Amino acid sequence: MFDFDMLGLAPALNEALTRAGFSEPTPIQNQAIPLALEGHDILGLAQTGTGKTLAFGLPLINHLLAEPGKPAPKTAKALILAPTRELVNQIADSLRNLTDGTRLRVATVVGGQSINRQITFLARGTDILVATPGRLIDLMDRRAVDLGSVRHLVLDEADQMLDLGFIHALRKIAPRLGTPRQTMLFSATMPKQMEELSRAYLENPRKVQVSPPGKAADKITQSVHFLEKPAKPSKLREILSRDMDALTLVFSRTKHGAEKLMKGLVADGYNAASIHGNKSQGQRDRAIKAFRAGEINVLVATDVAARGIDIPGVAYVINYDLPDVPDNYVHRIGRTARAGREGEAIAFCSSEEADLLRQIQRLMKIDIPVASGTLPQGAADEARGAKPGGNRRRGGRGGPPAANRGGKPAHTKPGGQSKGRRPRRRSAAAS
């Protein structure tokens, strides 16, 4: 493994990486950065949580530092498109940490925020523009931004943009970009449409792949509980009560379901908040900030958060509802076991969701171990491949607490103090 300072980055970037505590590149960074520095178009495939932001961000900033001149009013030199507001903000925060102390400016445009404020900021021009496609088109229609100076394009989480129908927006944006340009496309999965997308927007790309599409991080312990829908609330509370201090992300399929679930948890004394499409951007940002800081430890979310949360401390991901799109399961559970840590992913599966489980297992080419319960024979046939004898890590939430070598419960703090057995009454619902 190389050090970052061996990749040929500008001294200012190496200093920023040192300040941030980065010393060695991840596999996707190690392979993609040298190729991107040479100016090649990049097709990068890597599971979530492997460092794709730095893989495109470092060479992008390196190129811009070498280019003379400031951006003209209403223009940008580089454009990064991402599917969700949370992911846009996450990318921008990472890039600002790297450009701190340089002349480069990073701007964001997303829906749910004041478009007039964004127009005012863009009037001065920016070096790097990070945007969701919808709001960017709104600004283009108002002639608030001119993309003709863009010579670097990044499409992050491109597969989700395809799922959300952003391909039509991309077709409106791409013709307005400058040429020639370098394009980097990064994704965690590789659906068939992705090949078509890469052929349309990348020129002789270098393909970088560090894990098979649909594969979860190695340090995620997975399990599934078979139970019907009415039993899910009590099972969720049973699991949460085993480790009250851990940061836990709970996924619901619908906005209404997420809000109802969060309010029920708060009423029962759990420290919970929610984020979904019916929340304002301010509410979503505050909830994520509180979750990151540990002020709340249960965050209930829809798939709006499946790729927009990079919080290394997330210990558990609970799929209260299985996603309709199998790829989203991979992205959801990728919110844990980040930055080399271990994590646990727990799924609830009812009879109605048996086929969804089968699709997920087919995509991942694994049988998810069963922690508890059984399905009726017909549904079990749909979900065949899941085997009993769950893969429980140190008595984690996926099954009953196991004894460690000292005979103490697995979730016991040093000194024998029980960890959070009494639900806390302090709550911080997003508002």
Side-chain angles (χ1 to χ4, degrees):
M1 177 71 74
F2 294 103
D3 292 335
F4 276 111
D5 57 12
M6 299 177 64
L7 296 179
L9 296 167
L13 276 177
N14 285 322
E15 292 172 6
L17 288 167
T18 300
R19 289 196 305 270
F22 295 108
S23 58
E24 295 182 344
T26 65
I28 186 67
Q29 295 162 4
N30 199 41
Q31 295 184 42
I33 290 173
L35 295 171
L37 288 174
E38 293 174 1
H40 296 289
D41 283 6
I42 302 294
L43 175 58
L45 299 174
Q47 63 202 30
T48 185
T50 54
K52 294 194 294 294
T53 300
L54 290 188
F56 63 74
L58 287 170
L60 174 61
I61 293 171
N62 199 85
H63 284 305
L64 294 177
L65 287 173
E67 295 178 5
K70 297 181 180 180
K74 296 186 178 182
T75 69
K77 293 184 176 182
L79 173 65
I80 301 173
L81 293 176
T84 67
R85 306 169 189 174
E86 283 73 24
L87 188 53
V88 164
N89 292 332
Q90 176 183 299
I91 292 170
D93 288 343
S94 296
L95 298 184
R96 288 185 180 118
N97 288 335
L98 296 172
T99 57
D100 186 34
T102 73
R103 58 177 171 79
L104 300 184
R105 302 175 65 204
V106 180
T108 61
V109 292
V110 298
Q113 295 181 353
S114 169
I115 194 169
N116 291 328
R117 184 176 301 173
Q118 293 170 357
I119 290 172
T120 300
F121 192 92
L122 289 175
R124 296 177 288 171
T126 188
D127 295 280
I128 303 173
L129 179 59
V130 193
T132 52
R135 175 51 63 91
L136 180 59
I137 289 177
D138 289 343
L139 291 163
M140 290 165 56
D141 290 342
R142 297 184 184 212
R143 298 184 179 180
V145 61
D146 180 356
L147 301 178
S149 298
V150 171
R151 293 294 187 272
H152 304 276
L153 172 65
V154 177
L155 304 176
D156 193 24
E157 302 291 4
D159 51 347
Q160 189 183 19
M161 286 199 277
L162 289 176
D163 291 341
L164 298 177
F166 287 161
I167 186 62
H168 303 294
L170 184 59
R171 288 172 180 156
K172 293 181 179 179
I173 294 169
R176 308 281 286 273
L177 303 177
T179 56
R181 65 176 177 268
Q182 180 186 41
T183 301
M184 293 184 276
L185 185 155
F186 282 81
S187 178
T189 60
M190 190 68 181
K192 293 180 180 179
Q193 281 184 293
M194 193 63 63
E195 292 283 358
E196 301 173 4
L197 188 68
S198 64
R199 286 195 298 269
Y201 296 101
L202 278 66
E203 184 175 348
N204 299 320
R206 299 297 179 91
K207 185 175 181 179
V208 178
Q209 181 172 340
V210 297
S211 64
K215 184 179 183 298
D218 293 334
K219 293 188 177 182
I220 300 176
T221 301
Q222 299 181 61
S223 63
V224 59
H225 292 265
F226 290 129
L227 72 175
E228 295 308 319
K229 191 173 181 179
K232 287 186 177 184
S234 60
K235 175 60 71 173
L236 176 63
R237 286 154 176 79
E238 174 192 329
I239 292 172
L240 291 176
S241 67
R242 293 176 186 158
D243 196 349
M244 293 291 292
D245 292 335
L247 294 184
T248 303
L249 185 55
V250 181
F251 281 102
S252 172
R253 186 178 298 118
T254 67
K255 295 178 286 188
H256 173 74
E259 190 68 10
K260 180 179 178 181
L261 182 57
M262 180 275 293
K263 289 181 177 178
L265 289 173
V266 170
D268 287 345
Y270 293 90
N271 206 9
S274 66
I275 59 172
H276 49 72
N278 284 345
K279 296 283 188 178
S280 70
Q281 188 60 44
Q283 289 174 319
R284 289 156 66 166
D285 290 345
R286 287 192 294 273
I288 291 177
K289 183 179 180 180
F291 188 56
R292 185 186 303 274
E295 296 169 6
I296 61 169
N297 58 350
V298 180
L299 185 63
V300 186
T302 58
D303 279 325
V304 71
R307 310 194 198 193
I309 295 181
D310 183 11
I311 301 176
V314 174
Y316 301 97
V317 171
I318 299 177
N319 281 279
Y320 188 84
D321 301 313
L322 292 180
D324 292 322
V325 179
D327 286 338
N328 284 351
Y329 175 85
V330 179
H331 297 300
R332 286 180 177 187
I333 69 174
R335 299 308 98 198
T336 188
R338 300 183 76 83
R341 292 171 168 83
E342 294 183 346
E344 190 162 344
I346 302 166
F348 293 173
C349 180
S350 67
S351 299
E352 297 174 349
E353 297 170 300
D355 185 58
L356 297 177
L357 178 63
R358 180 185 60 80
Q359 295 178 44
I360 290 166
Q361 295 183 135
R362 177 185 294 174
L363 171 69
M364 302 183 71
K365 297 181 175 60
I366 64 168
D367 292 340
I368 300 175
V370 178
S372 71
T374 58
L375 291 177
Q377 186 58 47
D381 291 341
E382 288 288 344
R384 63 184 178 276
K387 298 177 181 178
N391 181 13
R392 303 183 183 97
R393 177 173 54 83
R394 296 191 304 276
R397 287 183 173 183
N404 60 19
R405 293 180 181 177
K408 297 175 183 178
H411 289 290
T412 301
K413 294 181 179 178
Q417 181 182 355
S418 179
K419 191 173 183 180
R421 291 299 178 184
R422 291 178 296 174
R424 290 179 289 177
R425 291 293 168 184
R426 176 172 57 89
S427 65
S431 59

